[in-house]
Amino acid sequence: MTSFLSVPSALAPTGAVYSEVIPAGESWIHPLIKGQTLRIVDLEGNQAVDTLFYDAHDYADRYDFQNTIRAQGNIYLTTGSRLMSSKGNVLLTIVADTCGRHDTLGGACATESNQVRYALDKGHMHACRQSFLAALLKYGNGLEKRDIPNNINFFMNVPVTPEGGLTFEDGISEAGKYVEMRAERDVLGLISNCPQLNNPCNAYNPTPIQVLVWDADVS
Ligand SMILES: [Zn+2]
């Protein structure tokens, strides 16, 4: 297996101001203040964590995978990646990463894509787009289906072949690996802890994750 650069964090979990475990298949929506650091922990390994960010004061300014890829000149996300918005602002910067590579090309699973990729009878299965939508509607503030752009898939392994082929492969993460990012402005974070049962991105077995938040002045 290819090994990736591991950049650990200096932040201690005991200093976190917020900590929550998100069960497999559940969603999470939470504001972050500029300067706060968000860590997402792959508790059991090989989980896919579908993630979006919005400017907390302008939801139309949201994560944009195309701007992100172009800004860094690379299709994978890892330490140093700046998560760019649709209006060209830096929403967050990845500051630590013990997994080493994350996807932003594969998109979120949906009941429609489950039917196309796997089988017509998979249409009833719980999917990330539905989790995103449920969380947005519950959060309110006018957020709805049209506010779901292409997302980040933390810990998900979607290698691109030399010919440009996109493949979904067995995960490269392991239990306890994490990715950490600093908010460069006030943002709203949205996570669907992927419930997918049909592809190897999470070893066909969705598992819980943990999110932790540190304030800017804590180290
Ligand atoms: Zn999913």
Side-chain angles (χ1 to χ4, degrees), residues 52-65:
L52 283 169
F53 294 102
Y54 304 81
D55 182 310
H57 309 290
D58 177 11
Y59 297 141
D61 196 22
R62 58 188 61 150
Y63 178 70
D64 187 295
F65 84 107

Side-chain angles (χ1 to χ4, degrees), residues 11 16 18 60 84 119 148 153-154 169 196-197:
L11 295 173
Y18 176 93
M84 304 297 294
I148 304 174
N153 293 306
F154 284 118
E169 301 287 344
Q196 183 58 257
L197 293 170

Side-chain angles (χ1 to χ4, degrees), residues 50 108-109 127-128 194-196:
D50 292 48
C109 62
C128 282
C194 186
Q196 183 58 257

Side-chain angles (χ1 to χ4, degrees), residues 153-164:
N153 293 306
F154 284 118
F155 308 111
M156 190 162 140
N157 188 23
V158 186
V160 173
T161 69
E163 295 75 31

